[in-house]
Amino acid sequence: MVKGIPVSPGIVSGKCLIFKKEKITINYQKISKDQILEEIDSFYKNRRKSVDQIQSIKNLLKIKKMDKEKREIFEGHIMLIEDEEFEKEVLSLIREKHYCASAAVTKVIDFQISKLQEIKNEYLKNRISDFKDIQERIVKNILKIPIVNLSVISTGVVLIAEDLSPSDIIQLKMDKIIGLVTNHGNQNSHFSIIARSMDIPTIVGTGRATEYFKTDDYIVLDSINNRIYKNPSSEIIEKIKKIKKNYLTWKKELNNLKYLPAITLDNRRIILQSNVGSNEDIELVKKNGSEGIGLYRTEFLFMNRSSPPTEEEQFQTYKKAAEIMNPKPIIIRTIDIGGDKFVSYMKIPKEDNPFLGLRAIRIIRNEEEIILSQLRAILRASNFGNLKIMFPMVISLEEITNLKNKLSFVKNQLNYKKYTFKENIEIGIMIETPSAAIMSKELAREVDFFSIGTNDLIQYTLAVDRGNQSISHLYDPLSPSVLRLMKMVIKNAHYEGKEVGICGELASDEFATVILIGMGLDKLSMNSTSIPRVKKQIRKLKFQESKEFTENILKMSSSRSIRLEVKRFLRRS
């Protein structure tokens, strides 16, 4: 039995097919001067060939009637291949270092991948598979290695591979593939997103599946309980049948809840919204019955490029999101670069403590025009839907005053240029630090709403780097200190008549739902796929009971005691 990371739930059984790509051997021997032009020509010719192949995949998506957001994944691949900085670096290695074309492409993309691997942000790490996909395609074309066509698979199988790129999965005849397993990967890679959107039971990150299984082995893939069985006994098969029956019943219940409100048994309404990182995530937002977007991360527009996006590029992105979601709200968080998110074109120095350094709104000091450009783009897009602006990492009243002045300045610019926009657009801030929590009563008077960013609030309150594995056991979302700070924020905001949401990972934790509801939160924003599960939990609770329970919980002095009490409460509910 093998385990991994379940990314798309379901239970299937059948024969497996092991898919291994041909290993690529790169020749790093230096070329002679008279070979330089030939290698440059090979790079250009095969880059063009790679773009044409990806364009064909996009056309295949249209034929399969897959949504535009999936096609945009491959538009992103084309943009990366045609990037001027990428071309410049490859040509430099060929001309100056005498690399052959395949070695130059490999070297440049390997460097990009190594940079992404240093970043703690999981969303950006997911771009690694995109870079590997591009690298493999161009290099294979240069070396004249055939690119395997997965569309030839002709029988219903569980496909097991070392890794699968987005272009691999798009080629598959989905009526022939009943499940997917990979050695590598994570929950939020483009491959995983596509697998979920196609509703294919999938487990990634097994580490060894291609070695453990052989083609034609009979397997049971249980991506609900994270188990892959090889030639299971009749006893296990019967057990799996019961699990599958219960899962299908549970799935039907969740599906029936999709368009029902998240309302407690005593009629307390909670708004459930989604966190997204790009427009390609919005299809999942709609599919899971979300009531809007509570966190639209914009920094990913700014990453993996040699210069910032233009105001027009941003405007078109925000406009499209607004139109898709209208009239549902979208809270757009201004750029949150710094900390574990780095871009080469910004003047952010190397810092010993980047999470305590120049990040989020603090970059205004060095990069004012980038923020002003973003605010102009958001305001212009506000004409096309229900957009709101949210500023991250605010810690003081002075910062809010400064930000509001910047916004007024931008509005005057747009009025002068005769642009129309939503003059009374709502603005909010993220509560991510103890400072903001303690000052929340005063801060609430200056903004329209709060959103508690629990990931950073936990990190800063407990002085624990959430990406540091050696102290990860200290990163505790149910720490009494964190919960009391959250309760203080909610109480202060409500006193000033302002709504409070939460957009950290804690929002999607069903175990914590009773506490979040009991604290009086108005909105929960989370990964879209978590919404049906959290909604089901909310509809089983009574607000008044949850409130009384949480008041007692907040008097406790240890997270262990809190967890035990929550378990007892949920068993009784």
Side-chain angles (χ1 to χ4, degrees):
M1 192 263 289
V2 173
K3 292 185 177 184
I5 304 166
V7 298
S8 181
I11 298 175
V12 292
S13 59
K15 288 187 176 182
C16 68
L17 173 66
I18 307 299
F19 169 63
K20 289 186 178 180
K21 294 181 181 178
E22 187 176 342
K23 297 291 183 185
I24 300 172
T25 302
I26 302 298
N27 182 4
Y28 286 99
Q29 188 175 348
K30 299 295 173 70
I31 60 172
S32 61
K33 284 186 180 180
D34 58 3
Q35 291 177 297
I36 289 175
L37 290 179
E38 183 184 342
E39 291 300 312
I40 289 174
D41 180 62
S42 176
F43 166 68
Y44 279 125
K45 183 171 67 177
N46 289 291
R47 183 177 70 164
R48 180 72 257 163
K49 184 177 180 180
S50 298
V51 169
D52 290 343
Q53 288 169 345
I54 295 171
Q55 195 62 49
S56 297
I57 292 171
K58 278 181 61 188
N59 294 338
L60 181 63
L61 282 173
K62 281 187 179 180
I63 294 168
K64 290 187 175 186
K65 297 182 179 179
M66 292 185 69
D67 57 83
K68 192 179 177 187
E69 281 66 39
K70 301 300 177 293
R71 298 200 295 274
E72 284 178 352
I73 292 174
F74 298 99
E75 286 173 12
H77 283 202
I78 291 172
M79 285 176 64
L80 288 171
I81 291 175
E82 294 183 334
D83 181 71
E84 289 181 10
E85 195 64 28
F86 169 62
E87 176 184 335
K88 183 179 171 184
E89 290 173 5
V90 170
L91 295 183
S92 174
L93 286 179
I94 295 173
R95 287 179 179 137
E96 297 169 23
K97 302 289 185 181
H98 291 192
Y99 279 75
C100 65
S102 59
V105 169
T106 302
K107 196 82 173 174
V108 170
I109 295 181
D110 276 350
F111 179 75
Q112 292 293 334
I113 290 171
S114 69
K115 284 293 180 187
L116 286 172
Q117 285 170 334
E118 292 172 7
I119 296 171
K120 291 174 185 173
N121 185 283
E122 285 304 313
Y123 189 93
L124 293 176
K125 278 188 175 180
N126 296 332
R127 298 299 303 277
I128 290 173
S129 63
D130 293 342
F131 276 95
K132 285 181 176 177
D133 194 7
I134 291 162
Q135 182 186 60
E136 180 185 356
R137 182 173 297 280
I138 300 174
V139 170
K140 279 188 172 181
N141 283 328
I142 291 171
L143 298 177
K144 296 180 172 53
I145 297 172
I147 295 173
V148 177
N149 182 2
L150 289 174
S151 65
V152 299
I153 296 173
S154 57
T155 54
V157 293
V158 175
L159 185 67
I160 300 178
E162 290 184 2
D163 203 358
L164 288 171
S165 66
S167 54
D168 288 332
I169 194 171
I170 290 305
Q171 293 179 63
L172 296 171
K173 291 181 179 176
M174 298 330 303
D175 58 331
K176 305 297 182 187
I177 302 296
I178 59 174
L180 295 167
V181 177
T182 61
N183 290 356
H184 310 297
N186 58 55
Q187 282 188 319
N188 297 307
S189 67
H190 276 147
F191 159 66
S192 297
I193 289 168
I194 292 173
R196 276 195 296 273
S197 73
M198 292 179 166
D199 203 23
I200 306 170
T202 304
I203 294 179
V204 302
T206 62
R208 61 192 183 102
T210 54
E211 284 73 44
Y212 186 76
F213 299 104
K214 293 184 177 64
T215 293
D216 290 336
D217 276 344
Y218 182 82
I219 69 170
V220 171
L221 168 60
D222 175 5
S223 58
I224 299 163
N225 297 300
N226 187 21
R227 285 170 169 77
I228 311 164
Y229 297 96
K230 176 180 179 179
N231 301 321
S233 65
S234 56
E235 184 181 347
I236 289 176
I237 290 172
E238 286 304 310
K239 181 182 174 183
I240 292 292
K241 282 180 181 177
K242 289 178 184 177
I243 293 172
K244 186 172 184 177
K245 184 180 178 182
N246 291 336
Y247 166 70
L248 292 174
T249 302
W250 176 80
K251 190 176 180 182
K252 187 176 179 181
E253 286 176 10
L254 289 188
N255 197 52
N256 291 339
L257 292 174
K258 188 180 294 184
Y259 300 111
L260 294 177
I263 190 166
T264 63
L265 294 171
D266 49 356
N267 294 317
R268 167 82 171 186
R269 176 75 181 270
I270 310 296
I271 303 299
L272 298 186
Q273 298 179 324
S274 300
N275 299 339
V276 303
S278 67
N279 286 351
E280 68 191 45
D281 296 337
I282 292 179
E283 187 60 33
L284 277 176
V285 172
K286 295 161 70 178
K287 185 178 178 182
N288 286 287
S290 176
E291 296 178 80
I293 295 174
L295 173 63
Y296 188 109
R297 303 181 184 93
T298 59
E299 52 271 19
F300 307 114
L301 272 170
F302 293 77
M303 307 295 289
N304 301 316
R305 53 194 302 158
S306 56
S307 60
T310 64
E311 178 185 322
E312 186 62 26
E313 184 181 345
Q314 291 186 74
F315 162 67
Q316 292 296 340
T317 300
Y318 307 145
K319 173 177 177 280
K320 179 182 174 185
E323 288 174 333
I324 294 171
M325 291 301 297
N326 198 30
K328 292 179 179 177
I330 302 178
I331 297 176
I332 298 184
R333 183 178 71 184
T334 58
I335 182 173
D336 188 10
I337 292 294
D340 59 357
K341 298 184 283 285
F342 172 77
V343 293
S344 59
Y345 54 82
M346 283 191 188
K347 301 165 189 170
I348 300 177
K350 186 172 176 59
E351 299 171 302
D352 291 333
N353 295 301
F355 278 100
L356 303 179
L358 201 61
R359 60 170 293 198
I361 61 162
R362 298 172 183 179
I363 65 170
I364 291 176
R365 186 182 295 270
N366 291 8
E367 304 284 355
E368 182 178 55
E369 184 48 42
I370 285 179
I371 295 293
L372 296 181
S373 172
Q374 181 172 41
L375 290 175
R376 286 193 296 269
I378 296 170
L379 284 170
R380 288 171 57 196
S382 69
N383 248 1
F384 300 89
N386 186 5
L387 299 187
K388 304 179 184 186
I389 298 173
M390 181 162 68
F391 297 107
M393 281 297 290
V394 170
I395 62 170
S396 67
L397 281 169
E398 290 80 5
E399 285 178 334
I400 292 182
T401 300
N402 184 38
L403 289 165
K404 289 169 82 172
N405 288 339
K406 301 289 183 198
L407 193 59
S408 295
F409 174 74
V410 166
K411 287 179 178 179
N412 289 334
Q413 283 185 319
L414 293 178
N415 280 324
Y416 179 77
K417 294 180 179 179
K418 307 296 184 192
Y419 281 112
T420 57
F421 57 90
K422 192 176 177 182
E423 278 278 2
N424 61 342
I425 191 168
E426 289 185 30
I427 64 167
I429 61 171
M430 291 189 71
I431 304 293
E432 302 171 272
T433 65
S435 169
I438 292 165
M439 291 293 293
S440 55
K441 190 170 185 179
E442 290 81 0
L443 297 176
R445 294 173 188 150
E446 300 298 321
V447 297
D448 298 301
F449 63 90
F450 284 163
S451 185
I452 301 173
T454 54
N455 298 353
D456 272 337
L457 184 61
I458 297 163
Q459 174 171 252
Y460 290 128
T461 302
L462 302 179
V464 174
D465 177 358
R466 66 180 187 262
N468 187 332
Q469 291 301 314
S470 62
I471 55 171
S472 60
H473 62 287
L474 298 175
Y475 184 84
D476 189 352
L478 297 188
S479 164
S481 56
V482 173
L483 296 180
R484 290 177 193 177
L485 277 178
M486 288 175 61
K487 179 59 180 175
M488 179 197 303
V489 171
I490 296 163
K491 181 181 177 181
N492 289 337
H494 285 171
Y495 182 83
E496 297 298 330
K498 306 298 166 65
E499 286 190 335
V500 192
I502 176 176
C503 60
E505 289 298 313
L506 193 59
S508 61
D509 185 348
E510 297 158 85
F511 187 78
T513 299
V514 60
I515 299 176
L516 301 181
I517 301 308
M519 282 182 176
L521 278 163
D522 304 295
K523 299 177 180 178
L524 307 181
S525 188
M526 64 199 74
N527 183 302
S528 296
T529 54
S530 299
I531 286 176
R533 293 186 288 101
V534 173
K535 185 184 291 185
K536 187 171 193 264
Q537 186 72 287
I538 289 171
R539 290 175 65 89
K540 294 194 305 187
L541 298 170
K542 286 185 178 178
F543 171 64
Q544 200 55 43
E545 285 183 4
S546 301
K547 185 178 177 182
E548 291 167 7
F549 172 75
T550 302
E551 285 171 359
N552 290 326
I553 283 290
L554 292 171
K555 295 173 186 174
M556 294 182 175
S557 55
S558 79
S559 55
R560 183 175 181 276
S561 300
I562 290 171
R563 282 186 168 80
L564 288 171
E565 282 304 306
V566 173
K567 284 179 182 177
R568 290 190 188 107
F569 181 88
L570 294 177
R571 277 199 296 267
R572 294 196 304 266
S573 298

